[in-house]
Each structure stands twice: as structure tokens, then as C-alpha cells.
Amino acid sequence: MTVISPADQQALAHAADLMSEAWRLLCDAKRLRQPTPRSAVNKVAQVVATALRIANERAHDAALLDALEKWLAEDAAR
């Protein structure tokens, strides 16, 4: 089970709010037959950036844990 930090929970909640607002802007633009608003694109970009930041942090943590486990295994083999 993966534990999500309070900061990540807050970031994900904010990203969900941004995605909801972006969806509303996109639907309004489509209904009015207008081009995609730049503000909607910016909101989606912020959501993607948040997701990538959290994923990268978790990948880095996993790589450090793997290296530590390997080092402990090598140390125990000596």
C-alpha cells in the first residue's frame, strides 16, 4: 500500500479542482463554438506537472530503497 503525504494530498486535491475548472472552460468553449481557451490549457498543464512531480518523487524514493536493500544484501553476504 502506498502512503500519500499530506502535501501530496493537498496538491492532488488542487489538481482535481484545476481539472474540473479546465473541463468547464473546455465545455463552455465547445458549446459557444470558440477556440480552446489558453487558461484551460494552462490548468491542464498544471495538473500534468503535479502528477509528474509526484511520480518522479516516488520513482526516486523507490530507486533509493532498491539501492539500500542491495547494499544491505551485499553487506550481509560478507
Side-chain angles (χ1 to χ4, degrees):
M1 183 169 108
T2 302
V3 177
I4 297 176
S5 70
D8 285 348
Q9 286 178 347
Q10 186 176 13
L12 290 171
H14 181 67
D17 292 341
L18 287 173
M19 198 64 220
S20 178
E21 179 66 17
W23 184 253
R24 187 191 61 75
L25 291 169
L26 291 169
C27 289
D28 289 349
K30 182 178 179 183
R31 181 176 46 82
L32 298 172
R33 295 186 176 155
Q34 295 177 345
T36 301
R38 182 164 282 308
S39 60
V41 174
N42 290 340
K43 289 177 190 311
V44 172
Q46 289 176 339
V47 170
V48 171
T50 298
L52 288 175
R53 179 188 58 78
I54 292 171
N56 284 338
E57 288 173 359
R58 291 187 179 277
H60 180 71
D61 291 347
L64 287 175
L65 184 57
D66 288 343
L68 178 61
E69 288 174 344
K70 180 180 177 186
W71 180 78
L72 289 172
E74 289 173 356
D75 190 54
R78 290 184 208 173

